[in-house]
């Protein structure tokens, strides 16, 4: 079973700064995919990135995903006030189906 | 517009049964899997299982196998999550989501409180 470890647990930044969130898989994910979600208090998660680097419909281009082996990153190039939220990564595979989430990174105002 | 609208909040006692719903619209229901995700208070997201509405094939996370039942009714474009005997530890918010390259559209969530 793949375990996803997100770091840092909390990231304190200011609007206009660049944010880099990390997600590390415990084993190879070569035949599966990684997604990133944003969740604000009291709301459902929102898909940001799919298949490691694909931007979901309607997501601003300041959000980008990257991959290096078992290490994945979500980068927000210039933080807007509405970007302060919790971010989850998710490993997903269709056969057999598995949709494992990381524990989340809280992006908070500095 | 693709929408998933979930049933309202529930307050139940331990041992009671419950079935919550996720009504979809704006796309062909039978084309895509629907997933259920649990979020316990103040915690992260946990995948529970998925159902394919076309043939009602279901797959469960090992953590939830035998604990819940997931189903779908293609005549009403609705997916369901049910419990036969709730426990206090089932207190959480439950989300449904359409599975397309990850989970691209989510319901608003259903809060379930189990307390004696």
């Amino acid at each position: 079973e793949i375990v996803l470890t997100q770091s840092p647990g909390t990231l304190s930044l200011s609007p206009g700064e660049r944010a880099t969130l990390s997600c590390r898989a415990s084993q190879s994910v070569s035949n599966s995919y990684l997604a990133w979600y944003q969740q604000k208090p009291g709301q459902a998660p929102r898909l940001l990135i799919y298949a490691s680097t694909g931007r979901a419909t309607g997501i601003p281009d300041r959000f980008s995903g990257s991959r290096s082996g078992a290490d994945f990153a979500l980068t927000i190039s210039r933080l807007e006030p509405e970007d302060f939220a919790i971010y989850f990564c998710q490993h997903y595979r269709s056969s057999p189906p598995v949709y494992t989430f990381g524990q989340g990174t809280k992006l908070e105002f500095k | 517009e693709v929408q998933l609208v979930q049933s309202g909040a529930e307050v139940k006692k331990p041992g009671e049964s419950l079935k919550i719903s996720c009504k979809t619209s704006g796309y062909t229901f039978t084309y895509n899997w629907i997933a259920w995700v649990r979020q316990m208070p103040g915690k992260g997201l946990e995948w529970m299982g998925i159902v394919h509405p076309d043939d009602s094939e279901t797959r469960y996370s090992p953590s939830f196998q035998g604990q819940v039942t997931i189903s779908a009714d293609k005549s009403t474009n609705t997916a369901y999550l049910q419990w036969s005997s709730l426990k206090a530890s089932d207190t959480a918010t439950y989300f449904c989501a359409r599975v397309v390259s990850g989970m691209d559209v989510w319901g608003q969530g259903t809060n379930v409180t189990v307390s004696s």
Side-chain angles (χ1 to χ4, degrees), chain B residues 15-56:
Chain B
E16 292 187 329
S17 63
L18 176 64
K19 190 173 187 177
I20 63 175
S21 66
C22 171
K23 184 165 179 60
T24 72
S25 61
Y27 75 103
T28 303
F29 183 56
T30 53
Y31 280 9
N32 303 112
W33 295 84
I34 293 286
W36 285 94
V37 174
R38 182 175 80 175
Q39 188 167 40
M40 299 178 78
K43 302 298 184 183
L45 304 171
E46 302 172 270
W47 170 62
M48 302 176 71
I50 53 173
V51 58
H52 201 291
D54 189 43
D55 58 5
S56 291

Side-chain angles (χ1 to χ4, degrees), chain A residues 4-95:
Chain A
L4 298 178
T5 302
Q6 292 188 240
S7 61
T10 302
L11 184 58
S12 301
L13 293 169
S14 300
E17 291 192 293
R18 180 185 184 91
T20 302
L21 288 66
S22 175
C23 177
R24 171 168 289 180
S26 61
Q27 57 185 271
S28 172
V29 292
S30 58
N31 295 321
S32 53
Y33 303 96
L34 195 106
W36 289 92
Y37 300 86
Q38 176 193 69
Q39 188 180 31
K40 297 179 180 179
Q43 296 185 17
R46 177 172 70 142
L47 178 66
L48 301 174
I49 301 290
Y50 64 93
S52 304
T53 60
R55 199 176 298 115
T57 303
I59 301 303
D61 61 7
R62 64 179 182 275
F63 291 91
S64 63
S66 62
R67 173 182 183 173
S68 176
D71 291 325
F72 299 83
L74 173 70
T75 299
I76 310 171
S77 57
R78 285 181 315 280
L79 285 167
E80 297 287 342
E82 63 267 26
D83 298 336
F84 291 88
I86 298 175
Y87 291 83
F88 295 96
C89 61
Q90 180 199 46
H91 162 248
Y92 64 96
R93 186 181 68 207
S94 58
S95 183

